[in-house]
């Protein structure tokens, strides 16, 4: 309101100063305005929609089952099991099962004397998952052109009050893009146990390990006084095969439609050069920003073309925002009576950004930009 009062006061002063130079009157023009609208899309990485564990169950496996070091428990591996403690042999030797001859390896101590020795290789598999989220933003600029009407009142020679109405719309999109990948790493464990058997009976595996003739070493320290040095307690190693292709991945897309209706309230102050009038112009604007934001997220499992999970969201709004503008305008009169003219203008329009959110996507809508306008006008009296 203060700005409007100031504009009217300035116009009154200018009209009084130049009343003898020109008559006041209404004028009207119709034309086209061109300007750009910026949209800044941002992924929300904390959204539960990006937590893959909500939608997929990790692959089942033995996992890191650990090492048997004594007691009444049994540990199951790929290729058999170890435990519990062998009741027929000294503490430090366990019972178990060996499924295949390929698991039997030579022992560093060798076979000789009272004992036959070997190393048993068991296996275990586990899976680990490495989620990676692309939290980067996507900026998309849309340029729109639309009808623009302007009307004004000449207060004095090259001093005008102006208003009008402009409409334009733009479309924006992120496109379809992967926003999350979950890589599956396979951990292959090799678990080694020393094996001791009576030399007279020899190596009795594959098969069940029990009785007084054989045992699996669960604690070498307890056996050294009886069986001598050279035996080791259970040990393991792990080989990690890192997944190169995502086991699960998410694809997101967001689309935004924006329409802008602007009503300016300003003043033009200029200088006349023959049939041409050049103006500095500025003032305030009232902006109705209508937006329609939609977003979609699809979770896929590698090798499948149909999404395992899909979600879609929408957000609409039409906030009213005040703004400012300033620029240059030129009018060229086409007849001696100076009633018909063409005009061109360029100005910067500033408006505070609008924010919207739909699902995992947030967007900032910035309608502030340079505007170009071309039109035809007529002075009414």
């Amino acid at each position: 309101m203060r700005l409007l009062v100031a504009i009217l006061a300035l116009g009154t002063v200018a009209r009084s100063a130049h009343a003898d130079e020109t008559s006041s009157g209404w004028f009207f023009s119709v034309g086209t305005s061109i300007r750009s609208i910026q949209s800044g899309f941002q992924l929300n990485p904390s959204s539960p929609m990006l937590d893959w564990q909500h939608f997929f169950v990790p692959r089942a496996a033995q996992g890191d089952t650990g090492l048997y070091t004594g007691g009444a428990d049994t540990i199951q591996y790929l290729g058999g099991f170890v435990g519990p403690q062998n009741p027929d042999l000294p503490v430090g030797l366990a019972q178990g099962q060996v499924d295949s001859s390929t698991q039997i390896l030579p022992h560093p101590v060798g076979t000789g004397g009272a004992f036959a020795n070997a190393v048993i290789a068991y296996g275990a598999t586990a899976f680990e998952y490495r989620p990676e989220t692309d939290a980067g933003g996507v900026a998309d600029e849309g340029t729109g052109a639309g009808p623009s009407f302007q009307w004004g009142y000449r207060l004095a020679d090259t001093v005008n009050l102006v208003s009008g109405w402009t409409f334009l719309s733009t479309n924006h999109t992120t496109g379809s893009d992967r926003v999350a990948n979950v890589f599956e790493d396979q951990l292959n464990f090799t678990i080694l146990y020393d094996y001791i058997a009576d030399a007279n009976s020899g190596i009795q595996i594959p098969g069940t390990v029990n009785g007084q003739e054989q045992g699996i070493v669960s604690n070498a320290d307890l056996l050294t006084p009886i069986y001598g040095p050279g035996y080791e307690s259970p040990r393991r190693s792990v080989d990690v095969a890192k997944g190169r292709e995502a086991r699960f991945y998410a694809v997101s897309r967001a689309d935004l439609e924006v329409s802008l209706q602007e009503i300016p309230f300003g003043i033009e102050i200029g200088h006349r050069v023959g049939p041409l009038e050049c103006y500095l112009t500025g003032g305030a604007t009232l902006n109705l920003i209508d937006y329609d934001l939609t977003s979609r997220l699809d979770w896929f499992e590698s090798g499948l073309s149909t999404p395992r999970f899909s979600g879609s969201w929408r957000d609409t709004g039409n906030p009213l925002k005040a703004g400012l503008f300033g620029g240059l305008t030129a009018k060229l009169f086409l007849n001696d009576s100076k009633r018909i003219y063409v005009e061109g203008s360029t100005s910067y329009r500033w408006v505070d950004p609008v924010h919207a959110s739909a699902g995992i996507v947030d967007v900032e809508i910035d309608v502030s930009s340079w505007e170009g306008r071309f039109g035809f006008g007529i002075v009414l009296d």
Side-chain angles (χ1 to χ4, degrees), residues 11-327:
T12 301
V13 172
R15 180 179 179 182
S16 175
H18 297 278
D20 57 337
E21 299 182 26
T22 186
S23 61
S24 60
W26 291 97
F27 56 90
F28 176 82
S29 71
V30 58
T32 300
S33 290
I34 301 175
R35 65 190 288 183
S36 63
I37 295 177
Q38 295 276 354
S39 60
F41 296 92
Q42 189 71 41
L43 190 70
N44 181 3
S46 63
S47 170
M49 299 300 174
L50 289 175
D51 187 353
W52 66 277
Q53 296 184 79
H54 286 181
F55 317 114
F56 300 98
V57 177
R59 190 180 301 189
Q62 294 84 3
D64 184 3
T65 54
L67 302 173
Y68 177 83
T69 56
D73 294 332
T74 297
I75 296 182
Q76 184 73 47
Y77 300 109
L78 294 174
F81 63 88
V82 177
Q85 170 67 38
N86 191 329
D88 298 320
L89 294 174
V91 175
L93 288 171
Q95 302 179 87
Q97 173 72 32
V98 181
D99 294 342
S100 172
S101 59
T102 60
Q103 298 171 239
I104 304 170
L105 308 175
H107 194 286
V109 173
T111 297
F115 306 111
N117 304 303
V119 175
I120 305 170
Y122 293 102
T125 300
F127 296 97
E128 291 183 348
Y129 294 87
R130 291 179 290 115
E132 296 180 2
T133 301
D134 181 6
V138 175
D140 186 38
E141 180 179 7
T143 300
S148 177
F149 300 92
Q150 186 183 82
W151 52 86
Y153 188 78
R154 185 182 294 275
L155 296 175
D157 188 32
T158 63
V159 178
N160 306 321
L161 290 179
V162 292
S163 186
W165 176 82
T166 297
F167 175 86
L168 56 88
S169 62
T170 57
N171 294 298
H172 310 258
T173 183
T174 61
S176 296
D177 194 21
R178 283 198 189 190
V179 294
N181 293 287
V182 181
F183 297 93
E184 182 183 75
D185 298 336
Q186 182 170 326
L187 284 65
N188 298 310
F189 294 92
T190 300
I191 303 98
L192 301 179
Y193 286 85
D194 283 4
Y195 169 85
I196 302 176
D198 185 282
N200 294 325
S201 301
I203 303 295
Q204 302 174 54
I205 50 177
T208 302
V209 180
N210 58 17
Q212 299 180 358
E213 292 80 19
Q214 58 179 342
I216 299 173
V217 176
S218 60
N219 190 329
D221 293 336
L222 299 177
L223 299 180
T224 300
I226 304 172
Y227 295 91
Y231 297 99
E232 294 186 56
S233 294
R235 58 272 186 201
R236 66 178 176 177
S237 61
V238 61
D239 176 64
V240 180
K242 287 190 172 292
R244 296 183 178 180
E245 298 293 332
R247 176 71 190 279
F248 314 114
Y249 60 91
V251 176
S252 174
R253 180 185 178 92
D255 295 282
L256 173 69
E257 297 179 3
V258 181
S259 64
L260 170 66
Q261 298 184 65
E262 179 195 73
I263 299 176
F265 303 94
I267 188 169
E268 296 178 336
I269 302 176
H271 182 71
R272 179 178 296 167
V273 181
L276 187 67
E277 293 182 356
C278 299
Y279 294 90
L280 289 174
T281 182
T285 60
L286 194 62
N287 303 268
L288 181 64
I289 303 169
D290 198 318
Y291 68 83
D292 187 346
L293 172 65
T294 59
S295 72
R296 180 181 176 89
L297 181 72
D298 294 307
W299 272 104
F300 293 87
E301 185 171 0
S302 178
L304 301 178
S305 58
T306 303
R308 289 281 300 275
F309 169 83
S310 296
S312 59
W313 304 267
R314 185 178 184 184
D315 181 22
T316 61
N318 51 3
L320 190 64
K321 293 274 188 176
L324 300 171
F325 76 96

